[in-house]
Amino acid sequence: MNPHEELNDLYLRLKEEDPSLERGESLWTIFEETTDDSLRPLALWTFSQNQFDLGHFRSFLVSFSLLMDWVRKDEMTLTHKQELDLYWNYKSYLIYAAEQEDVSAALLEADYELFSDFCDAHGFSRTRDYIGFMIYSKLGDEEQADLYLAEWVDAPSDELSDCPSCEGFSRMTYAIERGFEDRALLLYAAIRHERGCSRMPDQAHPYILPLFFSRKQDRFDWTERLIQEVRRVKPLFTGGDEPYHLYAEMYYNPRYVWSMDEKKQLIPLLTDRGYLQFLLAHYAASYRTARQEEVGYLGLLRSNIYEIAQSLDQRIDGAFYLNYVERELKRVTQFVG
C-alpha cells in the first residue's frame, strides 16, 4: 500500500471514530501530509467537526476558516447529503466567527452572502434569516439583528433549521443582552415546553438564574428550583455556556472559589465573546470574596472587561457590549451589596 492509500484508509477509519484529542491530531496530520487534492479538504473538515464537538471553538474557527478557501472557490465535490452537512457546519462557523473581535464585519458579511446564496438556491429562507440574526446579534448591530429576527420567526422550517428550543435559546440570550428581562423570562418559559434539543433548558438555566435572583421577592419558588437545576447540570469545560454556569454559581454559592485548574482549562477554549462573560463571572466571584476590599485588583479586572467590550463594539462602531457590561456589573454590585 502506497503512502497515499495509507492516508486515505486512515482517514476512512478516523471518520467513523468518536471525537477525541487523538483523533484530531491524526486528522490534522492527514491534512498536512496528503497530496490528494480531494482528501485534504475532507480531512480538514472532519478535523474542524472534531474540534467543535470537543468544544474547542477557537481551533474550530481556525480550521474551518482554512476550509473556507475551498468553499469560496467551490472546489469541493460533494453529495447532496455532504453539502447539507457542510453548510450545517458553515452555520456554526459564521456564528462563532461573529464572536471574535479580530474577524471583520466585512469578511463575515461576504461569507454570509455566500451562505445566503446556498440557502436561496435550496429554499432555506428561515435558515438564511436566522443566521443573519445570529451574526448581527453577536456583532452588536441591533437594527440589523431585529430586521432578521422579524423575518425568520414566522418562516416555515427547512432542512437546515435549528430546532424550536435552540432558536428560542438564541432569542432569550439576545433579550438578556439587550436588557429586555421580561421578554427573556417569557422566552425561557417557552424553552421549557418546546420540543427540540433536550439539553436546551439545561443550557438556559444559568443564563436566566441571575434574573430570577434580581426578582427574588416574587419568584422565590422558581429561584430555588433553578438553583437545583443549575447544580444538577455541571457541564464539562468545553467553553460556550461554561462561563454562565460559573456566573450562576456565584449567585447561589457564597463560598465558591475558582481553582487555577478551572481557569487554565477554560480560557483557551473561549471565543472573545465567551472570554468577556468569563471575565464578568470572574469579577462577580472576586467582588463577592473581596467585598470591595481589593479595590486595585477589581479595578484592573474591570478595565480588562471594558477593553474586551470595546474591541467587540469597534467592528460596528456601536456600544452594544459596553451597555451589556454596564448592566451586568450593576447587577453584580446590587446583588452583593
Side-chain angles (χ1 to χ4, degrees):
M1 186 180 294
N2 64 42
H4 163 67
E5 291 174 333
E6 289 181 4
L7 288 172
N8 189 65
D9 185 59
L10 175 60
Y11 169 73
L12 292 175
R13 293 202 309 273
L14 289 168
K15 191 173 182 295
E16 304 305 319
E17 290 187 6
D18 292 332
S20 67
L21 290 173
E22 295 76 15
R23 178 176 182 251
E25 290 171 358
S26 298
L27 287 164
W28 187 259
T29 298
I30 294 173
F31 166 66
E32 289 188 314
E33 293 184 359
T34 188
T35 57
D36 185 332
D37 290 339
S38 61
L39 181 57
R40 289 196 81 226
L42 290 176
L44 183 60
W45 178 18
T46 311
F47 170 81
S48 74
Q49 291 174 314
N50 183 82
Q51 301 308 99
F52 182 85
D53 290 337
L54 292 177
H56 295 193
F57 299 129
R58 287 183 184 273
S59 179
F60 163 74
L61 281 173
V62 170
S63 53
F64 202 91
S65 65
L66 291 173
L67 184 67
M68 284 300 298
D69 289 339
W70 280 275
V71 176
R72 294 184 187 110
K73 296 174 184 176
D74 195 21
E75 292 183 346
M76 296 176 69
T77 303
L78 304 172
T79 66
H80 178 65
K81 173 64 166 61
Q82 287 176 320
E83 199 171 37
L84 288 175
D85 288 344
L86 175 67
Y87 275 83
W88 188 275
N89 296 149
Y90 198 158
K91 288 167 48 178
S92 300
Y93 158 72
L94 288 171
I95 291 169
Y96 287 105
E99 297 192 356
Q100 293 291 97
E101 60 90 10
D102 60 345
V103 178
S104 70
L107 177 62
L108 278 168
E109 288 170 341
D111 284 341
Y112 174 61
E113 184 175 353
L114 180 60
F115 181 86
S116 297
D117 290 342
F118 174 82
C119 289
D120 290 341
H122 293 81
F124 299 158
S125 59
R126 185 183 182 93
T127 296
R128 177 198 64 209
D129 294 333
Y130 173 65
I131 297 303
F133 161 75
M134 292 295 286
I135 290 171
Y136 285 104
S137 68
K138 292 175 186 293
L139 284 176
D141 189 330
E142 298 171 32
E143 182 178 357
Q144 284 287 80
D146 288 345
L147 285 174
Y148 280 108
L149 174 60
E151 291 294 324
W152 71 261
V153 288
D154 295 322
S157 182
D158 58 58
E159 283 187 88
L160 281 184
S161 295
D162 281 14
C163 74
S165 53
C166 285
E167 292 182 343
F169 177 79
S170 300
R171 292 183 64 188
M172 183 198 76
T173 55
Y174 180 55
I176 291 172
E177 291 170 355
R178 290 282 299 273
F180 302 149
E181 296 188 355
D182 288 336
R183 185 184 304 174
L185 290 166
L186 287 172
L187 288 164
Y188 171 74
I191 291 170
R192 296 179 63 88
H193 297 94
E194 280 284 8
R195 292 184 178 180
C197 295
S198 59
R199 61 187 172 83
M200 272 304 125
D202 291 338
Q203 285 186 268
H205 298 329
Y207 286 77
I208 210 74
L209 182 60
L211 271 64
F212 276 90
F213 260 101
S214 67
R215 302 168 181 222
K216 195 169 183 177
Q217 63 278 8
D218 59 352
R219 296 178 183 270
F220 181 76
D221 291 341
W222 265 102
T223 303
E224 293 303 312
R225 288 177 61 183
L226 271 173
I227 288 173
Q228 295 305 317
E229 290 174 348
V230 175
R231 281 176 172 163
R232 178 177 57 80
V233 183
K234 190 72 175 175
L236 298 174
F237 286 105
T238 56
D241 301 296
E242 181 62 20
Y244 290 89
H245 279 265
L246 296 172
Y247 190 34
E249 189 158 1
M250 173 263 170
Y251 276 83
Y252 71 77
N253 184 359
R255 293 178 297 278
Y256 181 64
V257 178
W258 289 15
S259 71
M260 187 57 68
D261 283 343
E262 285 176 316
K263 297 176 186 178
K264 286 180 178 178
Q265 289 180 68
L266 182 59
I267 292 175
L269 311 182
L270 297 173
T271 59
D272 290 336
R273 185 173 180 272
Y275 183 57
L276 176 65
Q277 184 59 43
F278 173 86
L279 292 178
L280 283 167
H282 192 15
Y283 184 90
S286 300
Y287 188 91
R288 172 174 237 168
T289 302
R291 302 296 292 197
Q292 304 184 44
E293 291 179 9
E294 299 177 43
V295 177
Y297 171 70
L298 288 173
L300 183 62
L301 187 54
R302 195 181 183 100
S303 296
N304 199 354
I305 289 170
Y306 278 110
E307 182 181 342
I308 299 296
Q310 287 170 337
S311 68
L312 287 166
D313 279 336
Q314 279 175 354
R315 291 180 295 173
I316 56 134
D317 192 24
F320 180 88
Y321 284 101
L322 283 174
N323 291 334
Y324 170 60
V325 162
E326 289 286 356
R327 283 192 295 270
E328 291 304 301
L329 289 176
K330 182 178 179 182
R331 193 193 307 282
V332 169
T333 53
Q334 286 179 337
F335 175 73
V336 175

